[in-house]
Amino acid sequence: IRRRNATLSTALVLIQARVRGIQARISFNSSIASVMKVQGFVRAILQRRRYSAIRHGIIVFQARVRGVQERAVLGGMNHASLLIQSLSRGVLVRCHLRELSSKAILVQHTWSSYREHAPVKPPPVAKEPTMASSNRLTNILQTPDTFSRAMIKIQCRLRADRERQDYLTLRKGTVVLQANVRGIQARH
């Protein structure tokens, strides 16, 4: 019986060891599976962070490259628009000066021919006050100093009006040109 008990006891210890081994392996395998799930989750988070950082860096780099390219294009367009504006202003000023010059020559020619062919006394008028004011006007215009000042005032006013018109036309053209350039920039 002792032998049998010893054999049974040994068998029992062996069975218990095997059962404990199986239970330990099952527990170990479930622990390994849990650890692998946690590791996969952590790796996925780290990979997402790395991807986001790389993507953000690429976007910043692309924005900087596009900025440099746009500034180069806009700088050229700005230079071109300034050149166009300066050329158009030059043309307008030259045309205006030619027109003013021809008008001044016409006024001077008309005045000199009037002075050569004008009667010394104005023709008589029916009413006396009108004749007196007419005589005063003729006397004022026949004095060279007063006449030249009057001509200068007339020319100044004509030039000022013409310059205002030219400025408004030029300003309108510049605004239209700038709007077109901004529209082109917005489309590109």
Side-chain angles (χ1 to χ4, degrees):
I1 293 197
R2 283 188 185 175
R3 231 182 187 181
R4 202 171 163 199
N5 280 344
T7 310
L8 284 177
S9 168
T10 308
L12 188 61
V13 169
L14 274 172
I15 291 173
Q16 286 176 346
R18 295 237 171 142
V19 168
R20 284 191 198 117
I22 290 171
Q23 286 176 344
R25 277 192 288 282
I26 290 172
S27 174
F28 177 74
N29 286 338
S30 67
S31 296
I32 289 289
S34 298
V35 167
M36 289 176 82
K37 281 184 183 179
V38 169
Q39 283 179 342
F41 182 71
V42 168
R43 284 186 188 128
I45 289 173
L46 291 175
Q47 194 63 27
R48 271 190 228 114
R49 284 183 184 169
R50 192 175 304 128
Y51 170 76
S52 294
I54 290 171
R55 184 171 182 260
H56 178 71
I58 288 171
I59 289 171
V60 168
F61 178 72
Q62 286 176 341
R64 288 195 177 159
V65 168
R66 285 188 192 121
V68 168
Q69 290 173 344
E70 286 295 316
R71 280 189 288 281
V73 169
L74 293 179
M77 291 176 76
N78 188 29
H79 177 69
S81 65
L82 288 175
L83 185 63
I84 290 169
Q85 287 175 357
S86 69
L87 290 175
S88 64
R89 283 185 191 129
V91 167
L92 288 174
V93 166
R94 282 191 291 281
C95 289
H96 178 65
L97 285 176
R98 270 191 229 123
E99 186 179 336
L100 281 178
S101 175
S102 65
K103 286 180 181 179
I105 290 170
L106 181 66
V107 167
Q108 289 170 352
H109 175 72
T110 305
W111 178 250
S112 65
S113 76
Y114 171 76
R115 287 189 69 188
E116 288 175 6
H117 303 291
V120 176
K121 291 184 180 181
V125 181
K127 294 182 180 178
E128 188 66 34
T130 308
M131 194 159 111
S133 62
S134 175
N135 285 338
R136 269 186 278 144
L137 181 61
T138 305
N139 290 337
I140 288 172
L141 289 178
Q142 286 178 351
T143 59
D145 187 41
T146 308
F147 176 72
S148 64
R149 278 188 277 150
M151 289 303 292
I152 289 171
K153 278 189 179 182
I154 291 171
Q155 288 176 351
C156 285
R157 287 189 181 165
L158 284 174
R159 283 187 199 122
D161 288 340
R162 183 62 184 169
E163 286 297 321
R164 263 188 237 103
Q165 291 299 320
D166 288 346
Y167 170 74
L168 292 174
T169 304
L170 184 65
R171 183 171 177 223
K172 183 179 177 183
T174 304
V175 168
V176 168
L177 179 67
Q178 288 173 345
N180 288 337
V181 168
R182 287 188 187 118
I184 290 169
Q185 290 171 352
R187 286 190 287 276
H188 294 286

